[in-house]
Amino acid sequence: MKKWFTLLRQAIRGSEESFTEGSINRAIFLLSVPMILEMVMESLFAVVDIFFVSKVSTEAVATVGLTESVITLVYSVAIGLSTAATATIARRTGEGNLDQARHAVGQVIFISLAISSVTAVAGYLLAGDILRMMGADAKVIETGTNFARIQFLSSPVVVLLYSLSGALRGAGAAATAMRSLMIANGFNMVLGPILIFGIGPFPELGVTGAALATATGRSIGVGYQLFSLAKGKRALGLLWEDLKPNPETIRAIVKIATGGTVQFLIGSASWIFLTRILSEFGSDVVAGYTIAIRVIMFTLLPAWGLANAAATLVGQNLGAGKPERAEASVWKCASFNLIFLGVLAVLMFIGAESIIGLFSSQPHVVETGKLALRVLCLGYGFYAYGMVVIQSLNGAGDTKTPTVLNLIAFWTVQIPTAYVLAVILGFGPVGVFAAVPIAESVLAMLGIWRFRLGGWKVVKV
């Protein structure tokens, strides 16, 4: 027992950054613990926001759901850059080329700011039109336009928070990424109720307050990441010269990031279509679905911690010329993930009504959310393996394969299935919910098949 506590303390402190030698189980533990905690912190953003916003009004919850179904396009860019950062920096770390790893971090920062600035301006100017396009009624548009504007304006910190976390994970500094999310989430949890409900000297801002709290928390988290990189006490210490644009490095990172962005964009864009279909059934349905999705995010993001650990192990071990160790790490991560999500699925199915009831007391919202939660968690067994193998392919720098697989699963399976079941066959919202685990199961099986072929072992980064 003492040994496990020592190992846990070591994982949280982040005393190791290279995982190409020794026990694979130990490496998974040291990487996954801070990564799981990091993902828990990220998921808390969503859950905390929806918890407080649900106390305002159904329109406020619908505003969050409709806006964030579009803002996931920003997350697509962020996750693409995070994927590229992890793959590139893990490979350089495995090779022992720390100067190039550090330089790659500087280029990731430059690219993140360049891309997200455009998104921030466009989103701010078109916020109301975006809500209207998503099928929001006049009351939701009136309530949520400022919320949407702030969400889009905070695009640079969203992208940096993700991309720098990916860079830190690739270098093995997962504990630093974890602490940045803990700090960001801590500020969000404190500022959220203060700004939403107008506690003390602060004005009551409603759903707009939720956006301000989240943007502030994430900005402080990014500040901590930059401080940790700039202080130069670790091997990845960032220098000013690393921020100077280098066309060759930028092209290499963008090439990987494009695949990561497109594959997530394919998935997130499909969620926009699902939300659009559900909006035809009323605000109560969208609100119930939004709450259920936030709960699903809360449970799946920790599982992504294990998937990210697998990606780092793949990148570092390929850099060290050890593809067999990389493959063994992936299957072990997947088996641990299956156990975790399998237990969670049972608990969520049984307790679905009580869980949704924590966020809303309106019968129609609770009924929809309960149904959505039970249907969505049926696919957890496939999610467990799918997310690990897909992230492992990304960690190897092979972002093309997951992009094609996502296109098949989400656009030729998920969207048509949702429309046919919900609209043509008349199953209503449950048809949309059922399409999600069906598509994710297809994605998992295709991912396992491609991973077993082994082409990822010879990808150059």
Side-chain angles (χ1 to χ4, degrees), residues 152-289:
F152 278 108
L153 277 179
S154 65
S155 295
V157 293
V158 171
V159 175
L160 279 173
L161 193 64
Y162 273 83
S163 61
L164 290 179
S165 291
L168 290 164
R169 288 194 299 266
T176 302
M178 171 198 70
R179 285 190 289 271
S180 70
L181 266 295
M182 292 180 73
I183 291 169
N185 197 69
F187 276 94
N188 181 52
M189 291 179 71
V190 172
L191 291 174
I194 290 175
L195 297 178
I196 292 171
F197 304 116
I199 298 174
F202 296 91
E204 182 179 343
L205 300 176
V207 70
T208 301
L212 284 172
T214 301
T216 302
R218 282 178 169 151
S219 298
I220 294 171
V222 169
Y224 174 77
Q225 290 177 327
L226 293 172
F227 172 77
S228 299
L229 289 168
K231 66 183 181 180
K233 292 183 179 180
R234 55 172 70 246
L236 203 62
L238 194 64
L239 302 176
W240 278 110
E241 62 190 48
D242 296 318
L243 298 174
K244 183 179 179 181
N246 183 303
E248 183 178 351
T249 306
I250 289 175
R251 278 195 297 271
I253 292 173
V254 169
K255 181 180 179 181
I256 299 174
T258 299
T261 297
V262 171
Q263 69 183 254
F264 191 81
L265 187 62
I266 289 168
S268 60
S270 72
W271 285 93
I272 294 176
F273 277 85
L274 296 187
T275 306
R276 184 66 183 85
I277 294 171
L278 285 172
S279 69
E280 297 296 325
F281 298 97
S283 293
D284 285 347
V285 170
V286 174
Y289 169 74

Side-chain angles (χ1 to χ4, degrees), residues 75-84 253-266 391 394 398-400 402-403 406:
Y75 292 133
S76 300
V77 174
I79 290 174
L81 282 169
S82 179
T83 298
I253 292 173
V254 169
K255 181 180 179 181
I256 299 174
T258 299
T261 297
V262 171
Q263 69 183 254
F264 191 81
L265 187 62
I266 289 168
Q391 277 299 87
N394 285 325
D398 178 17
T399 56
K400 180 179 178 180
T403 300
N406 279 1

